[in-house]
Amino acid sequence: MRLKHLISPLDLTVDAVDDIIDLGLKIMENPEKYAHICEGKKLATLFYEPSTRTRLSFEAAMLNLGGQVLGFSSADSSSATKGESVADTIRVISSYADICAMRHPKEGAPMVASLYSSIPIINAGDGGHNHPTQTLTDLITIKKLMGRLNDITIGMCGDLKFGRTVHSLINALVRYKQIRFVLISPKELMIPDYLRKDVLEAGNIRHIETDDLESFLPIVDILYMTRVQRERFFNEEDYIRLKDSFILDAAKMQLAKEDMFVMHPLPRVNEIASEVDNDPRAVYFQQAKMGVYVRMALIMHLLALDTIPIS
Amino acid sequence: MRLKHLISPLDLTVDAVDDIIDLGLKIMENPEKYAHICEGKKLATLFYEPSTRTRLSFEAAMLNLGGQVLGFSSADSSSATKGESVADTIRVISSYADICAMRHPKEGAPMVASLYSSIPIINAGDGGHNHPTQTLTDLITIKKLMGRLNDITIGMCGDLKFGRTVHSLINALVRYKQIRFVLISPKELMIPDYLRKDVLEAGNIRHIETDDLESFLPIVDILYMTRVQRERFFNEEDYIRLKDSFILDAAKMQLAKEDMFVMHPLPRVNEIASEVDNDPRAVYFQQAKMGVYVRMALIMHLLALDTIPIS
Amino acid sequence: MRLKHLISPLDLTVDAVDDIIDLGLKIMENPEKYAHICEGKKLATLFYEPSTRTRLSFEAAMLNLGGQVLGFSSADSSSATKGESVADTIRVISSYADICAMRHPKEGAPMVASLYSSIPIINAGDGGHNHPTQTLTDLITIKKLMGRLNDITIGMCGDLKFGRTVHSLINALVRYKQIRFVLISPKELMIPDYLRKDVLEAGNIRHIETDDLESFLPIVDILYMTRVQRERFFNEEDYIRLKDSFILDAAKMQLAKEDMFVMHPLPRVNEIASEVDNDPRAVYFQQAKMGVYVRMALIMHLLALDTIPIS
């Protein structure tokens, strides 16, 4: 059997994504059924830059499956800085662990690792490039909340130009039917051209680009919020004029549908006011929890343990 | 059932403290009986500043109970520095773990975390404020050695002004009967006013304040040593004059009772000469060991596992 | 029973080394037989300086045996820098774990620790001094590949003056019969006098010292490569003149025997060209894997678990 890796969100077929999501939801309902399935197996978390949330989500996932974890949490606390190549490192780690989650500041590093590895590699974020388990987390959350991954009007709000989670989620969702995008951002931070032309227009996907959150809030099924970083603006004047338009607060939430959901990849800074946290439609912390279930399912998938019938 | 946390040593009633200590002593006698009680459970150690001894004591405790551990050991190796609030972090960690030990340089951070957490929070030290599991460690050690927590003459020696372990231990012990304190320190480092007035005098607790270790050493049942930091002194002259008076060595030990015990929260610098280490009355390393048992009992208590009869 | 430690490679008798190697090879063949033998036991990895490969090798070994791991990966993320002595630290750690692997930048630190410890200490590298588990790794690799530890012609190439792995391996191999050394290095980096006189000449061990890798490559059974660091050379001119002579590439590999093996303690920088990696005679990544098995055997040996018959 060919060794499987997950480097880019689109490495997985739609069927594979659906299987992983469905398995994640099954795990959520009966976690104890899966509590021993990775016994004797080890996950290596190789984090060349710190990302506590992502690392702990992977570690929780592996521990929940009965497996064990080893690794490092930053290049500082590892000797990775001694100048060894990623290729050599992963060939050694292949002797220490059964599966590896790698975070690296350089784009492409997990891909290089996968070429030399004899264990499955999961890209846990490489620079501004890919972060496929965030996309899986977003998808399982939508599936759980909506019961489906098609026929959805999703609003995406904030920095749509540089936000890799948004780009990945758009690429993942266009593979399903009847997805409608409401892309809400300052003009300076609209989605990149290639996404507009090669993905949305080429695929004949319904979409609107706007800088008006309030007007479009009432029609979205899901609002996916992201951070607008001050340093992305060309001038301070624009920042001050625009920033409040992209902050979600209780007043704006009154405009939204009763069964709408607010998602956020976290960490959140101030783009969602804390008064929104207790609104039942705010699901961003639940989203973090779904990230553990989908990572459990992914680990099982890559280790080919998802084909074993669980009694 | 209301979610329980341990933020301040006085959060626990005397009865709860006694129960935890008694459970800790039972665990010590039959550790194998408790070796699987936390199977499938995870402790998150969120250490925003390094404290190796405390962190490893918690991790050993959880592993001894059959549980697992994840977390970070310093803010550097975590992305906590990205500006996420403690409130948001703990809401995410609540999805990853069943219980959390948090160390933080800012006073009050674990308290804030407990307001947003859906898992029990243990304060593993917040600035100069509280460190309740050190107090529990001190109490279980005294109970084990003396067989009781009342009718004790305890000497406390060193920096009594800034030493939070001393303050917490005084607050914890005054809840028991017939405790007599001999408070030995340089004049500059006597206990704070509030402790003298609001606790000792208000409670009519017998106590002496002195700078003469040698004279009072013969009457104490326990001598609790702490470090005197050079930088606490107003001038170098005082430091040089006084420092030796507060160093425990073999000569001074000859003045003490045969069944007296020397405790120390560790790390020790030079306030106890290494020649004392082999004296059977030196119990500070045993004290560190008791810290694991009492943390095991505490974890069981906060997870409500201490009510399960162990066959 | 006397508490056992492993501080220097020569702490173990030849018989003990052979037993550990044979156990390591048995584990390799049936790892599942040993997967629970350390259940309930904990390894402390105290790494006062980062060494990711060594640390993870120990952790993988302990996890493979069903044990658990706690510790720190660098002095930065530990409070070891607070000035506590190694003696005090290990007395506390003795209460937290059953066995300890210690890496320390100061020569002799693990030896000091062993004097105060009540659990076995394994030296995981102390400065330029000793690194006994690397030597055990080298020996088990040779035994697995050659089927024997005597009657071997071993070439050692690179920096033979400062390379502690080379010195330890020479000291370990001269205890076996009919070992012949081909010592290949720049003149500036030949083996130290004491090794030549007190070990090789005194023991009447056959050896050649040369700077000519190509001429001697055809006769060696094993080529043990090490790095030649630029800063070891007295002048740039020598470095440029000599460096290529000590780089192993595909062309040089054609000179070697068909059943020769290339070993390297890793990390490798450029002293072995990557084109050699796919040569079946290149065994340096396999060597890293053998390091896990021999550490499993060592942990069992030091915990006196190697005398328990495994059904």
Side-chain angles (χ1 to χ4, degrees):
Chain A
M1 196 192 62
R2 203 175 66 84
L3 187 62
K4 288 189 267 188
H5 306 285
L6 178 59
I7 306 303
S8 149
L10 300 183
D11 286 353
L12 297 166
T13 63
V14 176
D15 282 350
V17 169
D18 288 344
D19 285 351
I20 290 168
I21 287 174
D22 289 346
L23 178 57
L25 294 171
K26 271 205 273 183
I27 292 171
M28 185 188 67
E29 276 159 38
N30 285 294
E32 66 287 347
K33 266 194 183 176
Y34 302 85
H36 301 282
I37 202 163
C38 280
E39 258 171 22
K41 301 213 179 292
K42 299 187 292 311
L43 165 73
T45 48
L46 307 189
F47 275 57
Y48 289 83
E49 66 177 3
S51 178
T52 305
R53 185 193 324 284
T54 301
R55 180 172 60 84
L56 296 186
S57 183
F58 273 110
E59 297 190 5
M62 190 57 168
L63 294 173
N64 286 348
L65 294 168
Q68 293 285 2
V69 175
L70 45 74
F72 52 86
S73 56
S74 74
D76 293 341
S77 61
S78 91
S79 54
T81 45
K82 279 185 193 166
E84 186 178 55
S85 69
V86 164
D88 276 16
T89 299
I90 198 63
R91 282 186 281 203
V92 172
I93 296 294
S94 293
S95 294
Y96 295 171
D98 302 280
I99 185 166
C100 170
M102 177 182 288
R103 176 96 168 193
H104 205 289
K106 277 196 198 150
E107 300 183 1
M111 161 65 85
V112 171
S114 73
L115 300 177
Y116 295 94
S117 178
S118 52
I119 59 174
I121 304 290
I122 303 169
N123 179 2
D126 59 333
H129 208 203
N130 284 308
H131 189 8
T133 57
Q134 179 64 51
T135 308
L136 287 174
T137 298
D138 296 341
L139 293 176
I140 194 174
T141 305
I142 295 171
K143 180 73 181 282
K144 165 147 191 288
L145 295 169
M146 306 288 294
R148 65 182 190 270
L149 280 167
N150 51 28
D151 189 16
I152 294 170
T153 302
I154 182 165
M156 294 175 153
C157 177
D159 176 356
L160 306 187
K161 184 170 185 181
F162 297 101
R164 74 178 166 189
T165 57
V166 164
H167 304 169
S168 290
L169 185 54
I170 290 173
N171 275 308
L173 281 173
V174 295
R175 306 203 291 180
Y176 295 89
K177 289 179 184 160
Q178 292 173 268
I179 301 294
R180 297 163 295 273
F181 293 97
V182 181
L183 303 165
I184 308 154
S185 72
K187 291 223 160 45
E188 294 91 337
L189 298 176
M190 288 165 71
I191 55 165
D193 276 353
Y194 84 89
L195 211 52
R196 183 180 303 108
K197 288 184 186 156
D198 302 349
V199 178
L200 297 177
E201 294 177 3
N204 214 14
I205 312 290
R206 290 176 61 185
H207 65 282
I208 295 163
E209 296 188 71
T210 176
D211 62 1
D212 183 353
L213 173 56
E214 296 199 9
S215 298
F216 287 91
L217 197 44
I219 68 158
V220 300
D221 299 316
I222 289 169
L223 178 63
Y224 194 96
M225 292 293 297
T226 66
R227 191 175 161 196
V228 179
Q229 290 176 279
R230 192 183 204 117
E231 56 270 31
R232 298 297 193 198
F233 282 86
F234 295 117
N235 60 66
E236 184 72 10
E237 207 174 286
D238 280 0
Y239 176 75
I240 289 166
R241 181 173 52 84
L242 286 168
K243 70 180 168 65
D244 285 353
S245 327
F246 303 98
I247 289 179
L248 188 66
D249 55 19
K252 288 203 192 75
M253 283 297 281
Q254 291 193 338
L255 305 171
K257 293 201 282 186
E258 295 251 318
D259 58 354
M260 181 270 254
F261 296 110
V262 183
M263 294 173 65
H264 191 297
L266 302 180
R268 159 260 306 261
V269 181
N270 67 344
E271 59 276 15
I272 302 178
S274 62
E275 64 192 17
V276 176
D277 295 353
N278 291 323
D279 191 309
R281 295 171 292 181
V283 298
Y284 26 92
F285 295 116
Q286 194 180 337
Q287 190 179 351
K289 183 164 203 157
M290 297 311 294
V292 178
Y293 296 124
V294 87
R295 286 182 177 94
M296 292 171 74
L298 176 65
I299 290 169
M300 287 179 60
H301 176 74
L302 294 177
L303 290 175
L305 296 171
D306 52 350
T307 54
I308 298 170
I310 304 280
S311 62
Chain B
M1 197 194 61
R2 203 175 67 83
L3 187 63
K4 289 190 266 190
H5 306 285
L6 178 59
I7 305 303
S8 149
L10 300 183
D11 285 353
L12 296 166
T13 64
V14 176
D15 282 351
V17 170
D18 288 343
D19 285 351
I20 290 168
I21 287 173
D22 289 346
L23 178 56
L25 294 171
K26 270 205 273 183
I27 293 170
M28 186 188 66
E29 276 158 38
N30 284 295
E32 66 288 346
K33 264 195 184 175
Y34 302 84
H36 301 282
I37 203 163
C38 280
E39 257 170 23
K41 301 215 179 290
K42 298 185 294 309
L43 166 72
T45 48
L46 307 188
F47 276 57
Y48 289 83
E49 65 178 4
S51 178
T52 305
R53 184 191 325 283
T54 301
R55 180 172 61 82
L56 296 187
S57 183
F58 273 110
E59 297 189 5
M62 190 56 167
L63 294 173
N64 285 348
L65 293 168
Q68 293 284 4
V69 176
L70 46 74
F72 51 87
S73 56
S74 75
D76 294 341
S77 62
S78 91
S79 54
T81 45
K82 278 185 194 166
E84 185 178 54
S85 69
V86 164
D88 276 16
T89 299
I90 197 62
R91 282 187 281 204
V92 171
I93 295 294
S94 292
S95 294
Y96 296 172
D98 302 280
I99 186 166
C100 170
M102 177 181 289
R103 176 96 168 194
H104 204 289
K106 277 197 199 150
E107 300 181 3
M111 161 65 85
V112 170
S114 73
L115 300 177
Y116 295 94
S117 178
S118 51
I119 59 173
I121 303 290
I122 303 170
N123 180 0
D126 58 333
H129 208 204
N130 284 308
H131 189 8
T133 57
Q134 179 63 52
T135 308
L136 288 175
T137 298
D138 297 340
L139 293 175
I140 194 175
T141 306
I142 296 172
K143 180 73 181 282
K144 165 148 190 287
L145 295 169
M146 307 286 295
R148 63 181 190 272
L149 280 168
N150 51 28
D151 189 16
I152 293 169
T153 302
I154 182 165
M156 293 174 154
C157 177
D159 176 356
L160 306 187
K161 185 169 183 181
F162 298 100
R164 73 179 166 186
T165 58
V166 164
H167 304 169
S168 290
L169 185 54
I170 291 174
N171 275 309
L173 282 173
V174 296
R175 305 203 291 181
Y176 296 89
K177 290 179 183 160
Q178 292 173 267
I179 300 294
R180 296 164 295 274
F181 294 96
V182 181
L183 303 165
I184 308 154
S185 72
K187 290 223 160 45
E188 294 91 337
L189 298 177
M190 289 165 70
I191 55 165
D193 277 352
Y194 84 89
L195 211 52
R196 183 180 303 107
K197 287 184 187 156
D198 302 348
V199 179
L200 297 177
E201 294 177 2
N204 215 13
I205 312 291
R206 291 177 59 185
H207 64 283
I208 294 163
E209 296 189 71
T210 176
D211 63 1
D212 183 354
L213 173 57
E214 296 199 9
S215 298
F216 286 91
L217 198 45
I219 68 159
V220 300
D221 299 316
I222 288 168
L223 178 63
Y224 193 97
M225 292 293 297
T226 65
R227 189 175 163 197
V228 180
Q229 291 176 277
R230 191 182 205 118
E231 57 269 31
R232 297 298 193 198
F233 282 86
F234 294 116
N235 60 67
E236 185 73 8
E237 207 174 286
D238 281 1
Y239 176 75
I240 289 165
R241 182 173 51 83
L242 286 168
K243 70 180 168 67
D244 284 351
S245 328
F246 303 99
I247 290 179
L248 189 66
D249 56 17
K252 290 201 190 76
M253 283 297 282
Q254 290 194 337
L255 306 169
K257 293 201 281 186
E258 295 251 318
D259 59 353
M260 179 270 254
F261 296 110
V262 183
M263 294 173 65
H264 191 297
L266 302 180
R268 159 260 305 260
V269 181
N270 66 345
E271 59 277 14
I272 302 178
S274 62
E275 64 193 17
V276 177
D277 294 353
N278 291 323
D279 191 307
R281 294 170 294 180
V283 299
Y284 26 92
F285 295 117
Q286 194 181 337
Q287 189 180 352
K289 183 165 204 159
M290 298 310 295
V292 178
Y293 296 123
V294 87
R295 285 183 178 94
M296 292 171 75
L298 176 65
I299 290 169
M300 287 179 60
H301 176 75
L302 293 177
L303 291 175
L305 297 171
D306 52 348
T307 54
I308 298 170
I310 303 280
S311 62
Chain C
M1 197 193 60
R2 203 174 68 84
L3 187 62
K4 289 189 266 189
H5 305 285
L6 178 59
I7 306 303
S8 149
L10 299 183
D11 286 353
L12 296 166
T13 63
V14 176
D15 282 351
V17 169
D18 288 343
D19 285 351
I20 290 168
I21 287 173
D22 289 345
L23 178 56
L25 294 171
K26 270 205 271 182
I27 292 170
M28 185 189 66
E29 275 158 38
N30 285 294
E32 67 287 348
K33 266 195 182 173
Y34 302 84
H36 301 282
I37 203 162
C38 280
E39 257 170 22
K41 302 215 179 291
K42 298 185 292 311
L43 166 72
T45 48
L46 307 188
F47 275 57
Y48 289 84
E49 65 177 5
S51 177
T52 305
R53 185 192 324 282
T54 302
R55 181 172 61 83
L56 296 186
S57 183
F58 273 110
E59 297 189 5
M62 190 56 167
L63 294 173
N64 286 349
L65 293 168
Q68 293 284 2
V69 175
L70 45 74
F72 52 86
S73 57
S74 75
D76 293 341
S77 61
S78 91
S79 55
T81 46
K82 278 184 194 168
E84 185 178 55
S85 69
V86 164
D88 277 16
T89 299
I90 197 61
R91 282 187 280 205
V92 172
I93 296 294
S94 292
S95 294
Y96 295 171
D98 301 280
I99 186 166
C100 170
M102 178 182 288
R103 176 96 170 192
H104 204 289
K106 278 196 198 151
E107 300 182 1
M111 161 65 85
V112 171
S114 73
L115 299 177
Y116 295 94
S117 178
S118 52
I119 58 173
I121 303 290
I122 303 170
N123 180 0
D126 59 332
H129 208 203
N130 284 308
H131 188 9
T133 57
Q134 179 63 52
T135 308
L136 287 175
T137 297
D138 297 340
L139 293 176
I140 194 175
T141 305
I142 295 172
K143 180 73 181 283
K144 164 146 192 289
L145 296 169
M146 307 286 296
R148 63 180 191 270
L149 281 168
N150 51 28
D151 189 16
I152 294 169
T153 301
I154 182 166
M156 292 174 153
C157 178
D159 176 357
L160 306 186
K161 184 170 185 181
F162 298 102
R164 72 177 167 189
T165 57
V166 164
H167 303 169
S168 290
L169 185 54
I170 290 174
N171 275 307
L173 282 174
V174 295
R175 306 203 291 181
Y176 295 89
K177 290 179 184 158
Q178 291 173 268
I179 301 293
R180 297 163 294 273
F181 294 97
V182 181
L183 303 165
I184 308 153
S185 72
K187 291 222 161 45
E188 294 91 337
L189 298 176
M190 288 164 72
I191 54 165
D193 276 351
Y194 83 90
L195 212 52
R196 184 179 304 108
K197 286 184 188 154
D198 303 348
V199 179
L200 296 178
E201 293 177 2
N204 215 14
I205 312 291
R206 290 177 61 186
H207 64 284
I208 294 163
E209 296 189 68
T210 176
D211 62 2
D212 183 355
L213 173 57
E214 296 199 9
S215 297
F216 287 90
L217 198 44
I219 68 158
V220 301
D221 300 316
I222 288 169
L223 178 64
Y224 194 97
M225 291 294 297
T226 64
R227 191 175 162 196
V228 180
Q229 291 177 277
R230 191 182 204 116
E231 57 270 32
R232 298 297 193 199
F233 282 87
F234 294 117
N235 60 66
E236 185 73 8
E237 207 174 285
D238 280 359
Y239 176 74
I240 289 165
R241 182 174 50 84
L242 286 169
K243 70 180 170 66
D244 284 352
S245 328
F246 303 98
I247 290 178
L248 189 67
D249 56 18
K252 289 203 189 77
M253 283 297 281
Q254 291 193 336
L255 305 170
K257 292 201 281 186
E258 295 251 319
D259 58 353
M260 179 270 255
F261 296 110
V262 183
M263 294 174 65
H264 191 297
L266 302 181
R268 160 259 307 259
V269 181
N270 68 344
E271 58 277 14
I272 302 178
S274 61
E275 64 193 16
V276 177
D277 295 353
N278 291 323
D279 191 307
R281 295 170 293 180
V283 298
Y284 26 92
F285 295 117
Q286 193 180 339
Q287 190 180 351
K289 184 165 203 157
M290 298 310 295
V292 178
Y293 295 123
V294 87
R295 285 182 178 94
M296 292 170 75
L298 176 66
I299 290 169
M300 286 178 61
H301 177 74
L302 294 177
L303 290 174
L305 296 170
D306 52 349
T307 55
I308 298 170
I310 304 280
S311 61

